[in-house]
Amino acid sequence: MSLALEDRLAITELVSLHGHLVDDGSLDRLEELFTSDVVYDLTDFGQEPLYGVTAVREAAWTLGSGNPVAHHVTNVVVTASADGRVQVRSKGLGIKADGSCGSVSYDDTVVRTADGWRISHRKVSPRRTPLGGLTKPG
């Protein structure tokens, strides 16, 4: 499947919108990002996946001041699949209130809905070691 430039732009903006909505506390607008049955996979952080927009919203409210004050997304790569789904890989930087910073990779599955592109699955993986933890062979 080939994606039109307009679709690529819309998908990239969708991924970027996440940080704006969360950082602004606009959690009532998460339906603009996710399908109602989204799977938000946090297993690499030792947590169970979240199922549905309501669970994602409640988790953010529960984390409260533990949320980053700024989410930044970069290095967005959009890859179309033959089944109509789109795979999106991006990097995320989170800045905490104390100035500390963390890095993650987002692996998203994006689908076209009646309301536009939405994330149906997001896996968040922390970036903690250089080179993905690999060492030079030999």
Side-chain angles (χ1 to χ4, degrees), residues 81-133:
S81 299
D83 63 2
R85 297 174 188 219
V86 176
Q87 302 304 313
V88 183
R89 187 136 207 249
S90 60
K91 299 286 188 174
L93 296 171
I95 312 299
K96 300 281 223 158
D98 66 3
S100 63
C101 179
S103 178
V104 298
S105 291
Y106 293 116
D107 288 292
D108 297 331
T109 301
V110 178
V111 296
R112 189 188 307 266
T113 72
D115 296 317
W117 293 101
R118 297 293 185 268
I119 299 168
S120 65
H121 187 274
R122 169 167 274 187
K123 181 171 179 61
V124 186
S125 303
R127 305 299 304 177
R128 296 187 176 132
T129 57
L131 303 175

Side-chain angles (χ1 to χ4, degrees), residues 3-55:
L3 279 175
L5 182 59
E6 293 82 11
D7 289 320
R8 289 182 177 277
L9 180 59
I11 291 166
T12 301
E13 287 186 359
L14 172 72
V15 171
S16 297
L17 183 59
H18 172 263
H20 292 286
L21 294 183
V22 174
D23 295 346
D24 291 344
S26 299
L27 302 178
D28 58 327
R29 294 179 53 197
L30 292 182
E31 287 81 358
E32 294 176 34
L33 300 175
F34 302 114
T35 60
S36 60
D37 61 348
V38 65
V39 176
Y40 202 98
D41 185 347
L42 298 167
T43 55
D44 286 354
F45 288 91
Q47 299 178 29
E48 294 295 317
L50 303 170
Y51 296 96
V53 173
T54 300

Side-chain angles (χ1 to χ4, degrees), residues 51-91:
Y51 296 96
V53 173
T54 300
V56 174
R57 182 181 297 113
E58 287 304 313
W61 282 126
T62 299
L63 191 55
S65 64
N67 281 292
V69 296
H71 291 78
H72 302 282
V73 68
T74 185
N75 300 60
V76 178
V77 179
V78 178
T79 306
S81 299
D83 63 2
R85 297 174 188 219
V86 176
Q87 302 304 313
V88 183
R89 187 136 207 249
S90 60
K91 299 286 188 174

